[in-house]
Amino acid sequence: MTKILHLYILTITLLVAHQIDSAYWHEWNLFGIPGGIQVFVLLNLPLVLFFLVGLAKVATGVQKGGWYSLTLATVGAATFFIHVGLAWRQHPEFGMPASWAILCGTLLASLALGWRTLGVLRTNKGKQA
């Protein structure tokens, strides 16, 4: 469980760093979100809250936090692939090495988190049966 908690913290940290980077690149323009930085920040509030609640759930046990953990892993991996798609369509945003380091780190942490969480949930399910 400790490993999942550490991977969860790493993944959420990388996603928050990505959101900071997203503000620099004006990501709301890429996705056509009206209202600029103000709406962008407000849209991030429920996401941060959701994943912080998930952190508390994961800290109390994988069975309670498994869904949050798998959701975070999915969001992290999706973030990477969305930005690969943007790069493939020749968008110059997120072109700096730090941006890609954060995105690649997010993918790796997300894959590790998802894999580890699924393994623990499968093992625990077998014990309950």
Side-chain angles (χ1 to χ4, degrees):
M1 202 273 292
T2 303
K3 191 143 203 138
I4 290 174
L5 182 60
H6 292 150
L7 287 168
Y8 192 101
I9 291 168
L10 175 61
T11 304
I12 200 167
T13 300
L14 288 164
L15 280 170
V16 167
H18 168 69
Q19 288 308 101
I20 293 166
D21 195 35
S22 294
Y24 172 80
W25 291 109
H26 298 194
E27 189 172 58
W28 54 90
N29 291 328
L30 285 171
F31 296 108
I33 300 170
I37 187 68
Q38 295 180 83
V39 172
F40 183 75
V41 169
L42 292 174
L43 288 174
N44 277 280
L45 288 176
L47 293 173
V48 171
L49 177 61
F50 178 84
F51 289 120
L52 287 177
V53 168
L55 177 61
K57 299 286 186 186
V58 169
T60 62
V62 176
Q63 287 305 116
K64 291 183 178 185
W67 187 81
Y68 287 93
S69 185
L70 291 176
T71 301
L72 179 61
T74 301
V75 168
T79 297
F80 173 82
F81 289 111
I82 288 167
H83 288 80
V84 165
L86 290 169
W88 186 69
R89 292 193 327 230
Q90 305 299 313
H91 284 277
E93 297 86 356
F94 302 97
M96 293 193 300
S99 298
W100 280 104
I102 291 168
L103 287 165
C104 291
T106 301
L107 176 64
L108 294 175
S110 297
L111 292 174
L113 176 62
W115 183 261
R116 187 74 167 181
T117 301
L118 285 173
V120 169
L121 291 174
R122 283 188 194 124
T123 300
N124 289 346
K125 185 178 180 183
K127 290 179 184 177
Q128 293 174 357

